[in-house]
Amino acid sequence: MGSNSKPQSPAQSSVNIKLILISAFFLVFLLLVFSTTSSTRQQQEPSPSSSISESHIANSTTACPSLPLTPSCTKAPPALANALIHYATTNTTPQQTFKEISVSARVLEKKAPCNFLVFGLGHDSLMWAALNHGGRTVFLEEDKAWIEQVKQKLAGLESYHVEYDTKVHQADALLETGMKEECKVVSDPRSSDCELALKGFPSEIYEIEWDLIMVDAPTGFHDDAPGRMNAIYTAGLIARNRAEGETDVFVHDVNRVVEDKFSKAFLCEGYLREQQGLLRHFTIPSHRARSGRPFCP
């Protein structure tokens, strides 16, 4: 922004983000409609061998109609429709900036429909579910009351209550713990001997191979709040433990000490692909597919 530019107020910024989101969802809908219409036209298009006789018959009777004889009607996918309505009728916008959201959205554009695990249930949850239309998007949240509040408005989101036992003020000790040899062993988190591994999630969380993982919870706002130390470590362990392929892992709020240090230590700077604003994007390959791969490259 130039020195003579007038800075946007928070209200203007909120409106701009909302307009961008609505435009993006509408563009996706138009692409779906265009794709379906093009497919329908190709199916209805007569073959060259029959076009002459059909044209002759049509000209000898009545002119061809300008509209298709069997027009198709394409509905907006429910996830997309709900997202459009939600963001068009609320003053609340996602916690991440447009540039930060764009990093994950580009990966989703390539991989969706896919399996997407999100640590945290927030104002951007419906957006993530819509961008992963046709896939499975699961949210893990530590606040039971917040889950119930969100379910009343957005019943279609799949979310589970989870608990975190460690606090932000324990981060230094846990970082030292994570350097021990047992924390470098790749396995199902439920059977890991590392103190950082989270073992209390629903069983399917460990059994599904996740294509994307977003760590944007727990809160971690102050020293006595649940921190993201275990969540970041476990996200990396789940990614390494997949049978083959790779997992894109995103960590938000990397301006904070815990998110900065733990993402570098356990998601590895060698796997870092991009940082935009407060969001880091790591691509972690399967360690089971190639034995002997070091924990960090």
Side-chain angles (χ1 to χ4, degrees):
M1 181 180 293
S3 58
N4 295 326
S5 300
K6 181 180 178 181
Q8 289 185 321
S9 67
Q12 288 174 317
S13 178
S14 176
V15 170
N16 287 342
I17 294 175
K18 183 190 294 185
L19 289 174
I20 291 169
L21 284 172
I22 293 173
S23 300
F25 287 130
F26 185 65
L27 179 58
V28 172
F29 175 59
L30 287 178
L31 289 173
L32 286 171
V33 173
F34 177 77
S35 175
T36 303
T37 303
S38 299
S39 175
T40 302
R41 286 179 178 175
Q42 288 176 357
Q43 293 173 1
Q44 294 177 343
E45 186 177 9
S47 63
S49 60
S50 62
S51 61
I52 296 177
S53 59
E54 290 177 359
S55 175
H56 175 74
I57 294 172
N59 289 333
S60 63
T61 53
T62 57
C64 291
S66 58
L67 295 175
L69 293 175
T70 56
S72 61
C73 178
T74 303
K75 291 183 179 180
L80 179 58
N82 290 337
L84 279 168
I85 294 170
H86 174 74
Y87 290 114
T89 57
T90 181
N91 291 326
T92 305
T93 54
Q95 295 97 316
Q96 297 184 25
T97 67
F98 176 73
K99 288 184 177 180
E100 291 167 354
I101 290 171
S102 297
V103 175
S104 310
R106 284 194 296 271
V107 178
L108 278 169
E109 184 180 5
K110 295 177 182 178
K111 291 193 170 184
C114 63
N115 294 321
F116 187 9
L117 179 64
V118 183
F119 286 77
L121 181 67
H123 299 301
D124 51 8
S125 297
L126 186 59
M127 176 191 67
W128 295 129
L131 291 174
N132 189 31
H133 171 64
R136 186 174 185 182
T137 307
V138 176
F139 302 92
L140 304 177
E141 172 61 39
E142 78 266 25
D143 189 337
K144 275 187 176 180
W146 175 244
I147 292 176
E148 293 305 315
Q149 185 178 338
V150 171
K151 280 186 174 180
Q152 290 177 5
K153 297 180 180 179
L154 306 169
L157 295 180
E158 183 179 0
S159 59
Y160 299 96
H161 176 251
V162 296
E163 295 181 350
Y164 301 97
D165 297 328
T166 55
K167 309 296 184 183
V168 172
H169 66 79
Q170 298 173 273
D172 288 341
L174 288 171
L175 186 61
E176 188 173 333
T177 296
M179 297 299 108
K180 295 180 179 179
E181 195 58 36
E182 61 263 28
C183 293
K184 305 298 182 181
V185 177
V186 175
S187 66
D188 185 313
R190 292 172 292 184
S191 60
S192 173
D193 292 328
C194 182
E195 186 181 338
L196 284 166
L198 292 168
K199 303 180 180 183
F201 294 161
S203 59
E204 56 192 315
I205 300 300
Y206 303 103
E207 293 161 4
I208 294 172
E209 292 201 344
W210 299 100
D211 302 296
L212 281 81
I213 301 177
M214 174 77 70
V215 181
D216 206 2
T219 53
F221 291 143
H222 52 82
D223 281 352
D224 290 323
R228 298 181 187 174
M229 301 81 67
N230 302 69
I232 292 172
Y233 174 82
T234 303
L237 194 57
I238 289 174
R240 290 178 176 87
N241 194 51
R242 66 181 295 154
E244 58 184 6
E246 60 186 24
T247 302
D248 291 280
V249 182
F250 306 89
V251 178
H252 195 226
D253 299 316
V254 295
N255 59 315
R256 305 193 307 199
V257 174
V258 167
E259 287 77 359
D260 176 40
K261 288 186 176 180
F262 276 74
S263 66
K264 288 179 179 178
F266 301 114
L267 301 181
C268 305
E269 293 185 75
Y271 290 144
L272 179 63
R273 294 294 173 263
E274 180 180 1
Q275 177 171 338
Q276 183 64 251
L278 307 183
L279 185 81
R280 279 186 190 147
H281 171 207
F282 300 82
T283 301
I284 301 179
S286 165
H287 282 218
R288 287 170 55 193
R290 198 186 86 184
S291 60
R293 190 191 294 267
F295 191 83
C296 283

